[in-house]
Amino acid sequence: MASLEFKLPDLGEGLTEAEIVRWLVEVGDVVAVDQPVVEVETAKAMVEVPCPYGGVVTARFGEEGTELPVGSPLLTVAVGAAPDAAAAPGAVPVAVSPAEADSSVDAESSGNVLVGYGTGATVARRRRVRPVAAAGPVAEAGPAVVPVVEVAAARSAGPVPVISPLVRRLARENGLDLRELKGTGPDGLILRSDVDSAIRSKEQEPATVPAPASVPASVPVSAGASVGAGERVPLRGTRGAVADKLSRSRREIPDATCWVDADATELMAARTAMNRPAGPPVSVLALLARICTAALARFPELNSTVDTASREIVRLPGVHLGFAAQTERGLVVPVVRDAHARTVEQLGAEIARLTESARKGALTPADLTGGTFTLNNYGVFGVDGSTPIINHPEAAMLGVGRIVPKPWVHEGELAVRKVVQLSLSFDHRVCDGGTAGGFLRYVADCVEQPALLLRTL
């Protein structure tokens, strides 16, 4: 019998770590090839991770709530022999690589690379292996199975045992020397939890900065002494991904914003007329999405991205339209693929499907990546306007406020009309204000006179 170690695979799209949410198997369970064994939360989605090996689970690495970097062990599976043979007296499974396993191992391994959300194969019902009386119990391995070895001397000369770039950045931003930390991960790997612990220890150290002579002793010099007193919420999972993405957008993109008020009375009347026949209702968001694709066809500069390495603007051939959706897990931006080729009904159906998946927490990494332009309907929160932060690495985002009755001059007379504020944040590297203004004006014209869209249908 051989024991194969299944490591947390690369979940794609640049993700470097994941948090264990729920184990789907126990030590001693028999698993089938490609059976989901653990549910993890990445920065983008909840993912069930399938194991490419079939056999008996002999160890699990990490408790629920533990954050693991890509490449660290998840579990070991004994393969290549009957379950009873695994319980022979004194038998100790030895971890080997898939290349070193014999041909019997290959027969129980799919060889599949994780696709992020399961392989779609039929999963056999798992069963528990009953221990044989003469056999010793199989011990479940927690995160501390691999002993932490003191490597301080070696670190001074060798590389720092860190896989995740997020861990490096977190340490750098808080002034920590990674060479002085002892990792609790496999083979001394430094995890985010190690850096967080070091930051907390650093903040709890008493301040040693003396007060200036001009400041009375009774007046506190700085509020730094009370930094550790408040509640601390880790920036991880979806919240951490949002923080990283928005921070990067602000650092790298020289954005500008323009806005305009538009009379949406005719658009709302057109929507009412569309919803009279039997069939699925047409949403305002679907109409705005169709207006966006028509506007991007006229102003393709805004459906682009900037390749900073080659100093080139890359104009993208198709529109993959993202839309902001608020969920219990936080803000997510599902992407409607090939939005430029869809009708209003098709756009509405796909937006509805993705929104429902977002509410259930069932969006896949593929549903959340690859956008080229984002539509943000913050009007659902009851606000009129905003200055949207561009969804890096895109070049623009259209924001839509609430549609409310307001006084408006219509055909030379004052009337109460349904008015909406539209705002466009754009990357000033890809175009100038004239292009951005032309895009926003075209969107506003289509909102005020939906018949203009007939030209592009």
Side-chain angles (χ1 to χ4, degrees):
M1 172 180 291
S3 182
L4 290 180
E5 187 177 77
F6 176 45
K7 297 181 179 181
L8 177 64
D10 183 357
L11 302 177
E13 299 297 340
L15 300 178
T16 58
E17 54 200 3
E19 179 181 340
I20 296 175
V21 176
R22 181 168 60 100
W23 282 105
L24 305 178
V25 295
E26 303 286 344
V27 171
D29 283 350
V30 174
V31 295
V33 172
D34 289 341
Q35 175 178 337
V37 292
V38 65
E39 187 179 70
V40 301
E41 180 179 12
T42 71
K44 296 181 181 294
M46 298 279 283
V47 177
E48 285 188 351
V49 181
C51 179
Y53 313 122
V56 182
V57 177
T58 57
R60 299 187 321 191
F61 297 90
E63 300 296 332
E64 294 179 357
T66 303
E67 193 169 61
L68 298 178
V70 169
S72 59
L74 272 178
L75 49 76
T76 55
V77 179
V79 300
D84 291 340
V92 178
V94 179
V96 297
S97 66
E100 295 170 336
D102 57 22
S103 59
S104 63
V105 173
D106 295 334
E108 299 187 49
S109 170
S110 69
N112 289 339
V113 177
L114 179 76
V115 296
Y117 29 89
T119 61
T122 302
V123 177
R125 187 177 183 271
R126 79 172 193 248
R127 59 189 176 89
R128 182 70 60 87
V129 176
R130 297 183 180 279
V132 180
V138 179
E140 178 176 349
V145 166
V146 181
V148 179
V149 182
E150 178 62 47
V151 291
R155 284 179 185 167
S156 61
V160 180
V162 178
I163 292 179
S164 171
L166 298 179
V167 173
R168 291 183 181 274
R169 185 178 64 197
L170 184 63
R172 182 173 63 251
E173 291 175 348
N174 289 274
L176 294 177
D177 186 355
L178 288 172
R179 298 182 185 276
E180 297 178 359
L181 302 184
K182 284 198 301 183
T184 58
D187 298 323
L189 185 70
I190 298 176
L191 307 178
R192 179 183 285 185
S193 57
D194 301 324
V195 177
D196 289 337
S197 298
I199 293 173
R200 286 193 295 270
S201 299
K202 181 180 178 181
E203 291 169 345
Q204 291 171 1
E205 293 176 1
T208 58
V209 180
S214 59
V215 180
S218 60
V219 179
V221 177
S222 171
S226 62
V227 168
E231 178 186 3
R232 292 184 172 270
V233 180
L235 277 173
R236 58 196 303 179
T238 302
R239 185 74 260 160
V242 171
D244 293 339
K245 193 123 182 176
L246 298 183
S247 297
R248 184 176 183 183
S249 178
R250 278 294 191 224
R251 285 195 308 269
E252 296 185 9
I253 299 178
D255 61 324
T257 303
C258 52
W259 57 89
V260 66
D261 290 340
D263 181 359
T265 306
E266 297 300 326
L267 181 70
M268 300 306 290
R271 174 175 178 260
T272 301
M274 291 178 186
N275 288 336
R276 281 174 187 160
V282 174
S283 67
V284 175
L285 192 60
L287 290 171
L288 292 171
R290 183 63 186 89
I291 292 173
C292 280
T293 58
L296 289 171
R298 285 176 167 249
F299 300 92
E301 298 90 337
L302 294 171
N303 192 57
S304 62
T305 186
V306 176
D307 186 343
T308 54
S310 61
R311 293 183 60 83
E312 293 177 330
I313 298 171
V314 182
R315 293 184 181 174
L316 304 170
V319 178
H320 302 314
L321 185 68
F323 64 95
Q326 192 70 35
T327 70
E328 292 182 356
R329 296 178 60 238
L331 177 68
V332 294
V333 184
V335 177
V336 177
R337 303 284 169 183
D338 298 317
H340 61 285
R342 297 177 186 258
T343 65
V344 171
E345 282 191 350
Q346 292 169 339
L347 287 168
E350 183 65 0
I351 289 172
R353 183 190 72 81
L354 291 169
T355 301
E356 184 63 22
S357 296
R359 288 171 180 165
K360 294 179 179 179
L363 290 172
T364 66
D367 291 330
L368 294 164
T369 53
T372 63
F373 184 92
T374 297
L375 175 61
N376 187 356
N377 181 21
Y378 43 74
V380 296
F381 302 118
V383 298
D384 295 326
S386 176
T387 54
I389 299 177
I390 297 172
N391 189 18
H392 185 280
E394 298 171 11
M397 176 185 291
L398 178 69
V400 182
R402 60 177 180 163
I403 301 175
V404 292
K406 288 185 178 180
W408 190 266
V409 177
H410 176 65
E411 296 180 350
E413 295 183 359
L414 187 63
V416 176
R417 306 285 287 181
K418 295 178 179 179
V419 179
V420 62
Q421 185 179 98
L422 306 170
S423 59
L424 176 72
S425 290
F426 64 98
D427 185 341
H428 226 312
R429 295 173 298 179
V430 304
C431 68
D432 295 324
T435 301
F439 173 93
L440 187 59
R441 187 62 257 170
Y442 179 79
V443 170
D445 289 343
C446 289
V447 168
E448 294 183 340
Q449 304 175 56
L452 290 177
L453 280 176
L454 293 175
R455 290 175 173 267
T456 60
L457 294 181

